[in-house]
């Protein structure tokens, strides 16, 4: 009995040292006026970002008569309501501790992966992004990195849509 209890205690104490994936939801502007919703997973060495919804709006009327385009006012605080479940399901069974950036990009060519060793700077800007209108958001996290085959942009602006705390997210990104 003491041996089992000792094993359990050792497992609990070492739990923090096990690599864990953290996740959040963000919006990224594309082409100046468009946007896309990203699900972002952060591991010890990589940041995986997947396009889980294209264009979205918080207006009450969709000119395309598309209810998937519009996020209703009562749901705007929840970042998960911006995500298209059909696209998100593609990532639900991925082991982010073992998938390669190349395999991740094969799922959707709009995805990107930032290697943490390539990050030059990351910071949070609490000022609301101009043009966000009725979107609930907690500012933006900027990740500046050296571009490579998995991430073509030097500067990524990740808008924290819904009600999300930027402090732990920024810590996850900065932790190597």
């Amino acid at each position: 009995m003491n041996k089992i209890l000792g094993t359990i205690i050792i497992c609990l104490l070492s739990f923090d040292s096990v690599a864990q994936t953290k996740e959040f939801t963000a919006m990224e502007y594309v082409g100046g006026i468009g946007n896309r919703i990203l699900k972002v997973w952060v591991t010890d060495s990589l940041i995986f970002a997947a396009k889980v919804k294209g264009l979205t709006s918080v207006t009450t009327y969709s000119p395309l008569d598309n209810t998937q385009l519009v996020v209703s006012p009562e749901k705007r605080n929840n970042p998960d309501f911006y995500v298209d479940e059909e696209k998100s399901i593609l990532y639900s069974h991925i082991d982010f501790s073992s998938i390669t950036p190349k395999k991740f990009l094969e799922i959707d060519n709009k995805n990107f992966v930032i290697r943490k060793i390539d990050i030059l700077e990351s910071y949070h800007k609490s000022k609301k992004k101009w043009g966000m209108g009725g979107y609930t958001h907690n500012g933006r996290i900027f990740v500046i990195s050296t571009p490579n085959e998995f991430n073509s942009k030097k500067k990524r602006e990740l808008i924290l849509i819904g009600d999300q705390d930027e402090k732990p997210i920024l810590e996850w990104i900065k932790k190597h």
Side-chain angles (χ1 to χ4, degrees), residues 2-174:
N2 284 340
K3 202 175 200 180
I4 294 171
L5 184 59
T7 304
I8 291 171
I9 290 172
I10 289 171
C11 287
L12 290 174
L13 290 174
S14 63
F15 186 68
D16 265 355
S17 65
V18 175
Q20 295 181 352
T21 304
K22 313 290 190 202
E23 65 181 75
F24 65 98
T25 305
M27 176 189 286
E28 183 178 49
Y29 269 67
V30 290
I33 59 169
N35 62 51
R36 65 174 155 224
I37 302 299
L38 303 171
K39 196 74 173 173
V40 182
W41 296 270
V42 183
T43 69
D44 290 341
S45 59
L46 299 167
I47 299 169
F48 296 90
K51 177 185 170 189
V52 291
K53 189 172 185 182
L55 187 63
T56 187
S57 174
V58 292
T59 62
T60 54
Y61 168 76
S62 170
L64 304 175
D65 196 30
N66 182 347
T67 56
Q68 289 214 336
L69 176 68
V70 178
V71 177
S72 63
E74 64 274 2
K75 296 178 180 178
R76 292 181 188 160
N77 286 341
N78 185 343
D80 292 332
F81 280 106
Y82 293 88
V83 174
D84 179 336
E85 287 300 318
E86 286 181 28
K87 289 188 179 195
S88 181
I89 200 84
L90 296 171
Y91 306 95
S92 63
H93 300 294
I94 291 177
D95 178 0
F96 287 95
S97 66
S98 64
I99 190 170
T100 65
K102 184 177 180 179
K103 284 284 184 194
F104 184 75
L105 295 179
E106 288 174 2
I107 298 169
D108 189 321
N109 66 0
K110 302 286 191 261
N111 293 350
F112 61 89
V113 179
I114 300 172
R115 296 182 305 199
K116 285 187 171 183
I117 60 170
D118 291 337
I119 295 176
L120 306 170
E121 183 180 5
S122 59
Y123 59 93
H124 176 257
K125 198 173 211 178
S126 60
K127 184 178 179 185
K128 302 289 184 193
K129 174 141 179 100
W130 182 89
M132 288 293 287
Y135 281 98
T136 302
H137 71 290
N138 185 20
R140 304 162 280 165
I141 289 185
F142 290 88
V143 179
I144 300 163
S145 63
T146 305
N148 62 48
E149 64 183 301
F150 310 120
N151 174 40
S152 61
K153 292 184 180 180
K154 181 177 182 170
K155 185 176 187 179
R156 292 283 180 173
E157 178 182 14
L158 305 173
I159 304 163
L160 297 177
I161 56 169
D163 186 17
Q164 299 181 86
D165 186 355
E166 81 283 353
K167 291 177 190 81
I169 295 170
L170 204 52
E171 285 178 28
W172 304 336
I173 290 169
K174 291 182 175 191

